[in-house]
Amino acid sequence: MGVLEGKKGLILGIANDKSIAWGVTKSCHREGAELGFNYLGDALEKRVRPLAESVGSTLVEPLDVSDDAQLDDFFAKVEAKWGKLDFLVHSIAYADKNALKEPFSQTSRQAFQQALDISAYSFIACAQRAAPLMAEGSAMLTMSYLGSVRAVPNYNVMGVAKAALEASTRYLAYDLGTQGIRVNAISAGPIRTLAASGIGDFRTLMSKAARGSMLKRNVTQEEVGNAACYLLSDWASGVTGEVHYVDGGFSGGVGDPGEV
Ligand code: 0WE
């Protein structure tokens, strides 16, 4: 008997089989959940639909989280099909490519607004539409990164967006706590995904993350997925407003002080 048996959940943000959202999907499916998905545009539908079908899903709908009308349509379809929702996973971020390499002090208003809108506000937008479908004991989860609390070279405006996302997690947890809905974030170590492929010298960042971690290795999509299952399950019934690190211990250490 899986820890998510009998639960219905949405997983937002699969791009392909390397996505963190796909790691979360595999764990949630193994633990018995019935799952629904979104895709961004026709190009990604071709990738997401076969993955969704492989875990027995029949809820796969378009959703660009920067568009309120699409958000309304998406959650209306979820309500029509399921009537209720037990969990929501938000695994969505975007910043302009140039904003992730130019000096942070050069960040444009447009790049700031877009990064914060898609990477942070979208969690609030989803939460406010998901909550009315949720009963006591339901849960929401989003994905963050250490760049929210430390200045990580080149992470730039994404770090500011993740800081807003983590603060939003706490305020949503406060707000929805009165309805018995829990809201948490996972802060994962760097993982090679489609989003990471657009980043210069990600290889060096990955090897520094491994060497500086306590486990001396990087974490996987599957490990994030397993931690996600716990936070979404009734085993975490007393846990909310939390940022849970799944980074092999990197954030708690200083690496090797003797390293040159
Ligand atoms: O949150 C992320 C990645 C988010 C991301 C990645 C891209 C690349 C392609 C958001 N927007 C875009 N836009 C693009 O055009 N991570 C935690 C992975 C990541 O990204 C970095 C990192 C790490 C770690 C960027 C710079 C430095 C470190």
Side-chain angles (χ1 to χ4, degrees):
M1 173 97 176
V3 300
L4 299 178
E5 210 78 51
K7 292 190 192 287
K8 289 176 164 55
L10 294 174
I11 300 188
L12 307 180
I14 294 185
N16 61 30
D17 65 353
K18 302 291 185 294
S19 295
I20 291 175
W22 178 243
V24 175
T25 298
K26 286 187 289 180
S27 291
C28 291
H29 176 63
R30 182 194 67 216
E31 295 301 327
E34 183 174 345
L35 301 169
F37 303 91
N38 80 312
Y39 58 86
L40 176 62
D42 298 343
L44 288 179
E45 181 181 10
K46 290 201 280 287
R47 297 217 185 277
V48 175
R49 205 169 278 285
L51 290 170
E53 281 168 5
S54 77
V55 294
S57 178
T58 55
L59 204 170
V60 187
E61 300 291 343
L63 172 59
D64 175 341
V65 293
S66 67
D67 182 339
D68 285 329
Q70 289 191 38
L71 281 158
D72 290 340
D73 285 350
F74 182 84
F75 282 92
K77 285 172 188 157
V78 174
E79 182 171 19
K81 193 166 175 79
W82 283 350
K84 69 140 191 177
L85 196 57
D86 297 296
F87 64 84
L88 168 79
V89 178
H90 173 274
S91 185
I92 293 171
Y94 182 79
D96 183 81
K97 202 176 165 66
N98 290 321
L100 299 175
K101 61 173 191 243
E102 286 163 0
F104 176 70
S105 56
Q106 300 305 308
T107 305
S108 68
R109 192 183 302 275
Q110 159 69 15
F112 183 95
Q113 286 181 173
Q114 185 181 37
L116 274 280
D117 183 41
I118 298 176
S119 312
Y121 180 75
S122 69
F123 187 42
I124 305 168
C126 291
Q128 69 192 210
R129 291 167 175 83
L133 307 179
M134 289 181 156
E136 208 171 307
S138 301
M140 303 183 186
L141 180 67
T142 189
M143 296 299 153
S144 195
Y145 174 63
L146 185 61
S148 62
V149 290
R150 296 192 203 163
V152 172
N154 302 314
Y155 198 60
N156 296 357
V157 74
M158 270 310 303
V160 178
K162 292 301 193 188
L165 181 66
E166 291 180 11
S168 300
T169 298
R170 290 184 287 272
Y171 281 98
L172 287 169
Y174 177 83
D175 203 351
L176 301 177
T178 58
Q179 299 167 51
I181 300 170
R182 299 180 298 101
V183 188
N184 291 292
I186 284 177
S187 184
I191 295 176
R192 191 165 293 287
T193 64
L194 183 63
S197 70
I199 294 149
D201 222 8
F202 202 72
R203 192 186 294 271
T204 307
L205 187 108
M206 291 278 290
S207 82
K208 282 183 178 169
R211 276 185 287 118
S213 77
M214 297 174 186
L215 295 177
K216 299 296 167 195
R217 63 170 178 83
N218 295 119
V219 296
T220 65
Q221 289 90 335
E222 288 73 19
E223 289 176 312
V224 173
N226 288 338
C229 275
Y230 152 72
L231 287 168
L232 297 170
S233 80
D234 297 342
W235 288 112
S237 59
V239 182
T240 195
E242 192 78 0
V243 180
H244 182 61
Y245 282 78
V246 179
D247 66 348
F250 184 90
S251 70
V254 289
D256 180 353
E259 192 182 358
V260 280

